């Protein structure tokens, strides 16, 4: 059974940083793409970025580039989302999701691509 567990969320002041973790189990890690997403109250879920685990290739939504970084620790089957220079508009529930890769070494951060989701972790940025 595919399981994804996010952690690392919390309250941070504007300008601060957080690192979220996504612990994965129940599948062959290298055979999957992992995406990070967020959903603010009253808004649609949006993609942050993704990583093709087999070669650590990453893609980001344009508005996320430069502040957000996705990485993996393959020994721990864990994917990280490093978030810097956080702003109040980054306040949201952050989710990771997994899907078997479609094309090796390339990933897609569209939410509709993914069928396996974690429960989410709340990130709140105060001004």
């Amino acid at each position: 059974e595919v399981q994804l567990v996010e952690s690392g969320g919390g309250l941070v002041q504007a300008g601060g940083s957080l690192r979220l973790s996504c612990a994965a189990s129940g599948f062959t890690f290298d055979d999957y793409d992992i995406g990070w997403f967020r959903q603010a109250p009253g808004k649609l879920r949006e993609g942050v970025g993704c990583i093709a685990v087999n070669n650590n290739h990453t893609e980001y939504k344009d508005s996320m580039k430069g502040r957000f970084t996705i990485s993996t620790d393959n020994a721990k089957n864990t994917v990280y989302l490093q978030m810097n220079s956080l702003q109040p508009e980054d306040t949201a529930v952050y989710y990771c999701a997994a899907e078997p890769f479609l094309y090796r070494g390339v990933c897609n951060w569209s939410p509709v691509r993914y069928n396996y989701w974690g429960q989410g972790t709340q990130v709140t940025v105060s001004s």
Side-chain angles (χ1 to χ4, degrees), residues 51-72:
I51 187 164
V53 176
N54 60 76
N55 69 348
N56 287 334
H57 174 80
T58 54
E59 296 282 348
Y60 299 92
K61 186 175 183 178
D62 282 349
S63 58
M64 310 296 176
K65 290 179 181 178
R67 294 192 301 125
F68 291 20
T69 304
I70 298 172
S71 62
T72 67

Side-chain angles (χ1 to χ4, degrees), residues 53-109:
V53 176
N54 60 76
N55 69 348
N56 287 334
H57 174 80
T58 54
E59 296 282 348
Y60 299 92
K61 186 175 183 178
D62 282 349
S63 58
M64 310 296 176
K65 290 179 181 178
R67 294 192 301 125
F68 291 20
T69 304
I70 298 172
S71 62
T72 67
D73 183 336
N74 288 38
K76 296 181 178 180
N77 281 13
T78 298
V79 179
Y80 302 101
L81 176 65
Q82 177 68 43
M83 305 185 294
N84 299 326
S85 301
L86 286 164
Q87 299 302 316
E89 52 266 34
D90 295 315
T91 294
V93 178
Y94 284 72
Y95 300 88
C96 63
E99 188 66 19
F101 72 81
L102 188 59
Y103 301 104
R104 183 175 288 277
V106 180
C107 65
N108 185 312
W109 46 260

